[in-house]
Amino acid sequence: MIRSFIAISIPEEVKKEISKIVKEYEAKKYPFRWVAPENLHITLIFLGEVSEKFLLEAKSEIKKVAERTKSFPIRLGGFGAFPSLRNPRVIWIGVPLGGKEVEELQKDLVESLTRIGFKPEEKKFHPHLTIARAKGSLKEIDLWERRYESEEFLVDRVILFKSTLTPEGPIYNKIEEYPLMDCVIKGVLG
């Protein structure tokens, strides 16, 4: 069985900006496990523990979705939490530009994977980039009013990752990249 997920990667410059913010809040000793800069991404679908047979079929479906999806610009910004700001279990940065396109891409992937036996989550998808998970209870964090907005960047591929859990935190390894439609055409013509 392979623990895996499908995601959008984040440019290195944006990871560096976010890691500066994370370091600042790590120093304040909030009860969170902060996401390592190299692990920052926007999860589209968490597949969980799946068989190699399912993964092989999933790769074909992901490729089909990618090849019919145009690349699009996004920008990260604003902080939020699941399930709420009063009870933050997960802290995230939102997607104020390109969020609708991320939702459409995720929906298309879910529909394709459902046809091969994937059981999607019941809760509504909300495009975000997770930066921390709670290790304890937290009443106040001075993050919600903070201003942050990344530079605009292009989503031109989706990536299938393998996730290996370790005591030091998860390790993500790229299984395969799937260029979006206009990138496939550029690759063929360019």
Side-chain angles (χ1 to χ4, degrees):
M1 298 295 274
I2 301 165
R3 183 180 167 87
S4 56
F5 63 93
I6 305 164
I8 294 169
S9 65
I10 306 303
E12 288 305 313
E13 319 80 73
V14 176
K15 287 181 182 181
K16 284 178 188 164
E17 292 170 6
I18 295 168
S19 75
K20 285 179 189 167
I21 296 167
V22 165
K23 279 186 177 63
E24 185 183 319
Y25 283 88
E26 274 179 326
K28 294 181 181 189
K29 304 291 186 210
Y30 288 113
F32 283 94
R33 175 176 271 186
W34 298 89
V35 175
E38 64 272 13
N39 286 349
L40 292 170
H41 63 273
I42 298 170
T43 301
L44 295 169
I45 301 174
F46 177 68
L47 297 171
E49 299 278 345
V50 294
S51 69
E52 287 190 37
K53 180 185 181 297
F54 175 84
L55 213 51
L56 194 61
E57 290 179 50
K59 286 177 181 181
S60 173
E61 293 301 317
I62 298 165
K63 185 174 191 270
K64 287 178 199 168
V65 171
E67 288 176 348
R68 66 176 176 250
T69 303
K70 287 185 179 174
S71 57
F72 55 92
I74 71 171
R75 185 181 307 116
L76 304 174
F79 295 92
F82 295 134
S84 69
L85 298 184
R86 290 184 183 273
N87 180 27
R89 305 303 301 157
V90 171
I91 296 181
W92 48 260
I93 298 174
V95 186
L97 172 70
K100 183 175 176 287
E101 290 85 350
V102 173
E103 283 181 34
E104 288 169 5
L105 175 57
Q106 190 268 354
K107 183 177 179 241
D108 199 1
L109 285 164
V110 166
E111 286 172 2
S112 291
L113 293 171
T114 300
R115 288 193 285 272
I116 61 166
F118 175 68
K119 303 277 187 276
E121 289 187 43
E122 293 294 317
K123 60 185 177 197
K124 183 181 177 344
F125 175 73
H126 176 84
H128 68 281
L129 180 138
T130 297
I131 60 169
R133 288 183 172 75
K135 290 194 296 187
S137 65
L138 177 75
K139 296 297 174 227
E140 288 294 318
I141 183 169
D142 61 339
L143 182 63
W144 313 133
E145 282 74 41
R146 183 176 182 136
R147 298 281 170 249
Y148 169 72
E149 198 165 272
S150 75
E151 289 295 317
E152 196 174 291
F153 60 94
L154 192 68
V155 173
D156 62 357
R157 65 197 60 243
V158 295
I159 301 173
L160 175 62
F161 284 98
K162 175 183 177 183
S163 172
T164 306
L165 300 179
T166 74
E168 295 77 39
I171 297 170
Y172 302 145
N173 296 104
K174 195 181 299 181
I175 296 174
E176 203 162 318
E177 284 191 19
Y178 302 90
L180 299 187
M181 176 174 57
D182 34 353
C183 299
V184 170
I185 292 168
K186 277 184 208 163
V188 171
L189 302 176

